[in-house]
């Protein structure tokens, strides 16, 4: 799934929309939102924090269902922290439901699409017109090598800093907001890996389509949020994107 720095970049894209609508009014609100864009990944088992469509671990990709978070915490989704958490789920959902399958096709040996781990033999990299083994794709993690390369570009483009302030858990039982220091350490580790990367060429996902995905998640969220949460009041300042 997209890493911390990709989630922060998407969050930076959403900030002006939320500030325009006075959902984020000050630095603490912005901090709470951005930290919450990260917090669902600060656990070992992401199945509960991500409200996945299935708990079947034999399924290779189990995407989140953001609307389940809205159903569970209807009073929180209109707060900076709740909206950040929801946006994290939304970005992951779009990534796996739409973006991933447009660029990577998981198949059996006969090129038939598969979702179960035991049946996946090949990963067809559509951007590069290349086929690698499913084992290579998931064990050697070439996708995460691409993330390492792209992270450096995102840090420069969004002028990222990681001086997060503490966030009081607004009542989301699945996560522990006290782990923000661990998140910061992880991000700094990934940042250092990016600086030390020998190659600046991706091998799975081309850079520009991923950057375009990051840019478009914010306006799409603004459009979809009222339907997810059955509440238009938070976006009454403007219905346009």
């Amino acid at each position: 799934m997209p890493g911390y720095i990709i989630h922060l970049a998407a969050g930076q894209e959403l900030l002006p929309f939320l500030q325009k609508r006075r959902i984020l009014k000050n630095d603490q609100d912005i901090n709470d939102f951005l930290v919450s864009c990260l917090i669902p990944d600060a656990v070992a088992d992401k199945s509960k924090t991500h409200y996945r469509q299935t708990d079947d671990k034999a399924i290779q990709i189990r995407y989140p269902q953001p609307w389940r978070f809205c159903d569970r915490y209807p009073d929180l989704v209109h707060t900076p922290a709740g909206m950040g958490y929801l946006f994290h789920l939304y970005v992951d959902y779009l990534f796996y439901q739409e973006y991933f399958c447009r660029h990577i096709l998981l198949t059996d040996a006969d090129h038939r699409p598969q979702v179960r781990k035991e049946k996946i033999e090949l990963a067809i990299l559509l951007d590069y017109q290349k086929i690698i083994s499913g084992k290579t794709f998931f064990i050697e993690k070439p996708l995460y090598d691409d993330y390492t390369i792209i992270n450096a570009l995102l840090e420069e483009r969004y002028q990222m800093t990681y001086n997060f302030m503490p966030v009081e858990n607004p009542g989301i039982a699945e996560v522990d907001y006290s782990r923000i220091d661990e998140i910061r350490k992880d991000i700094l580790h990934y940042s250092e890996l990016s600086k030390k990367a020998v190659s600046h060429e991706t091998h799975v996902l081309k850079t520009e389509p991923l950057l375009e995905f990051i840019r478009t998640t914010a306006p799409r969220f603004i459009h979809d949020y009222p339907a997810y949460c059955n509440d238009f009041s938070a976006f009454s300042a403007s219905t346009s994107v």
Side-chain angles (χ1 to χ4, degrees), residues 27-134:
D27 288 345
Q28 184 67 55
D29 286 350
I30 293 172
N31 177 79
D32 291 0
F33 168 76
L34 290 176
V35 168
S36 297
C37 284
L38 306 174
I39 203 70
D41 280 347
V43 292
D45 180 5
K46 298 182 176 63
S47 58
K48 291 184 179 179
T49 60
H50 283 68
Y51 303 91
R52 289 170 173 165
Q53 94 281 14
T54 177
D55 290 329
D56 184 354
K57 294 184 179 179
I59 303 298
Q60 182 61 57
I61 294 176
R62 291 164 285 154
Y63 56 83
Q65 295 179 311
W67 50 91
R68 290 178 58 193
F69 178 77
C70 297
D71 290 343
R72 179 161 170 77
Y73 297 110
D75 296 331
L76 295 182
V77 292
H78 313 307
T79 67
M83 197 165 290
Y85 195 112
L86 176 62
F87 187 57
H88 177 106
L89 302 182
Y90 183 79
V91 170
D92 279 359
Y93 174 78
L94 288 185
F95 184 85
Y96 283 124
Q97 270 290 87
E98 298 182 13
Y99 180 83
F100 186 92
C101 59
R102 290 174 184 165
H103 299 272
I104 301 169
L105 186 61
L106 304 176
T107 76
D108 60 19
D110 295 319
H111 294 195
R112 291 174 298 199
Q114 300 291 341
V115 296
R116 300 189 67 82
K117 292 179 180 179
E118 74 274 10
K119 294 185 177 181
I120 296 172
E121 297 286 341
L122 304 172
I124 302 175
L125 312 181
L126 300 176
D127 285 354
Y128 289 94
Q129 295 294 297
K130 184 169 64 174
I131 300 175
I132 63 176
S133 74

Side-chain angles (χ1 to χ4, degrees), residues 157-169:
R157 175 168 295 196
Y158 293 95
Q159 295 295 296
M160 290 186 181
T161 59
Y162 309 118
N163 301 317
F164 305 118
M165 296 181 288
V167 178
E168 182 178 352
N169 192 327

Side-chain angles (χ1 to χ4, degrees), residues 201-215:
E201 295 183 8
T202 58
H203 299 283
V204 177
L205 298 172
K206 288 189 176 179
T207 302
E208 191 52 45
L210 183 56
L211 295 178
E212 180 65 16
F213 168 78
I214 292 169
R215 286 193 292 266

Side-chain angles (χ1 to χ4, degrees), residues 164-210:
F164 305 118
M165 296 181 288
V167 178
E168 182 178 352
N169 192 327
I172 303 172
E174 292 84 355
V175 291
D176 179 3
Y177 273 84
S178 70
R179 300 190 67 179
I180 187 58
D181 286 337
E182 296 175 38
I183 293 174
R184 183 187 294 107
K185 290 178 183 177
D186 285 345
I187 293 175
L188 291 175
H189 171 68
Y190 299 139
S191 178
E192 285 302 311
L193 289 179
S194 296
K195 293 180 176 65
K196 295 176 182 177
V198 175
S199 172
H200 296 288
E201 295 183 8
T202 58
H203 299 283
V204 177
L205 298 172
K206 288 189 176 179
T207 302
E208 191 52 45
L210 183 56

